[in-house]
Amino acid sequence: METITSAPGKIILFGEHAVVYGRPAIAVPLTQVQATARVGDGRPGQGVRLVAPDLGQDWLLEEAQELDALADAVRRVQAAAGLERLPDLTVTVNSTIPIAGGLGSGAAIAAATIRALARHLHRPDLATNEQVARLAYEVEKIHHGTPSGIDNTVVTYERPVYFVRGAERNHIETFVPGRTVRLLVGDTGVRSSTRLVVGDVRQQWQAQPERFERLFTACGRLAEAARQTLEAGELAQLGQLMQENHAVLQEMSVSSAGLDALVSAALAAGALGAKLSGAGRGGNMIALVTEGTAAQVQAGLLAAGARAVLQTVLPAGNEVPA
Ligand code: PMV
């Protein structure tokens, strides 16, 4: 018997960086790309075999390194299930989510693996969204040191997430838009390290605390407004808020010439709004489009040098399957 589950990628819609300082942020699933985990019964006596065909890797759990995220995901389910030994299993992961682009690939692989394994072990209590997100957060620490918690949440719940980081507990709410929202994700092709950019923002905040607190607060207010606008389905207004958030991120010095060029190209081609998404200084930007403008904005992004353009559609409340 084989148990298969998937988890989507993610993008931050509002509030990157400020979220690290306790301001609200919104992230949404990027459904065009997915991580998939398959858990099947293994050969007797083999133990747990881990297979990542995309990376050409095949190894045993008992031989895994300490910082091996896939092994960590498996071990966390084992511990949560209170099992001293796991049965003989093969865990295979595949992903179409670009790695290291701020699209949540690590979190999605962790969430898919945790859910598939919990189900395979007949532990539905460990396969709930709450449990999967909690365990995936622990795995995320391998990649990100002190992750905000937004990635594991959005890829697990597969819904827009309103998120506020808390000292004790994070405040997390999923919600649904009042109208279908269509976003394009344009890749600058420039890889940037989230850890480095987050560290640089911290240094700037330490040097100019008042100024940065003001910028973070501005981002937080925009995220609050964006949530209301999304729920009300006011897309033109949402686009305007994206513009404002991009301008604040520029002030924080986390945009780049490449990101600004793609944002301008998207607007020139008819997007309702556009901004960088995630850590910045490279990586991805997002553009709010409609069914009617998606193709021309995509063409505009590619002409302006985007390496790839992905699309995600957030269904309106009345279209989300129960
Ligand atoms: O590039 P991404 O999507 O991993 O986003 C990083 C988002 C930050 O707010 C900059 C950092 C964080 O941990 O939330």
Side-chain angles (χ1 to χ4, degrees):
M1 198 195 73
E2 201 171 43
T3 310
I4 306 178
T5 66
S6 299
K10 77 99 207 341
I11 41 169
I12 295 184
L13 202 53
F14 285 91
E16 45 277 272
H17 289 292
V19 69
V20 176
Y21 300 83
R23 276 37 166 220
I26 294 173
V28 299
L30 178 58
T31 47
Q32 204 191 339
V33 285
Q34 300 269 335
T36 304
R38 320 160 79 92
V39 180
D41 299 333
R43 270 185 291 110
Q46 81 167 21
V48 177
R49 184 177 157 205
L50 306 171
V51 188
D54 302 340
L55 306 175
Q57 289 176 3
D58 188 333
W59 67 112
L60 290 174
L61 180 67
E62 61 188 20
E63 292 167 359
Q65 313 257 324
E66 208 185 318
L67 295 182
D68 177 328
L70 186 58
D72 192 51
V74 170
R75 289 202 185 103
R76 286 188 187 279
V77 177
Q78 177 182 3
L83 294 173
E84 208 162 296
R85 270 187 64 81
L86 284 168
D88 297 315
L89 295 169
T90 298
V91 179
T92 307
V93 293
N94 286 286
S95 175
T96 56
I97 307 169
I99 295 172
L103 300 181
S105 85
I109 290 170
T113 302
I114 290 162
R115 204 183 312 259
L117 183 56
R119 286 195 184 142
H120 198 80
L121 296 171
H122 305 291
R123 290 294 303 265
D125 56 317
L126 299 177
T128 61
N129 285 336
E130 204 183 352
Q131 289 296 329
V132 172
R134 187 177 68 78
L135 294 176
Y137 178 76
E138 296 301 320
V139 178
E140 277 274 279
K141 288 183 181 166
I142 289 184
H143 299 290
H144 292 305
T146 50
S148 62
I150 203 165
D151 283 23
N152 54 297
T153 303
V154 70
V155 305
T156 299
Y157 286 80
E158 298 188 51
R159 296 243 172 136
V161 168
Y162 169 90
F163 178 95
V164 189
R165 184 180 194 169
E168 292 290 311
R169 231 167 184 279
N170 295 328
H171 175 93
I172 294 165
E173 283 175 62
T174 60
F175 65 97
V176 284
R179 249 217 270 162
T180 302
V181 175
R182 192 175 292 266
L183 296 161
L184 298 183
V185 181
D187 184 356
T188 58
V190 176
R191 295 279 72 91
S192 93
S193 154
T194 297
R195 204 187 271 266
L196 285 183
V197 186
V198 169
D200 185 56
V201 169
R202 183 165 294 278
Q203 278 183 0
Q204 295 187 70
W205 169 69
Q206 282 163 345
Q208 299 175 283
E210 278 168 28
R211 175 160 172 254
F212 270 72
E213 284 294 326
R214 254 199 324 274
L215 295 173
F216 295 148
T217 297
C219 292
R221 292 213 177 105
L222 289 166
E224 294 282 1
R227 178 178 173 177
Q228 285 171 15
T229 308
L230 267 167
E231 286 183 318
E234 291 159 1
L235 298 185
Q237 176 71 14
L238 187 68
Q240 182 56 39
L241 295 171
M242 288 169 74
Q243 299 302 106
E244 290 174 32
N245 198 166
H246 186 69
V248 181
L249 291 163
Q250 282 176 320
E251 273 198 62
M252 282 182 205
S253 82
V254 298
S255 194
S256 66
L259 284 164
D260 289 345
L262 295 186
V263 165
S264 301
L267 294 172
L272 291 167
K275 64 180 276 292
L276 73 83
S277 171
R281 303 237 173 107
N284 292 284
M285 51 70 69
I286 49 178
L288 178 64
V289 297
T290 62
E291 209 174 352
T293 60
Q296 75 209 38
V297 176
Q298 172 158 12
L301 286 169
L302 291 169
R307 289 294 164 84
V309 179
L310 295 171
Q311 184 167 165
T312 194
V313 177
L314 313 174
N318 55 8
E319 298 162 20
V320 176

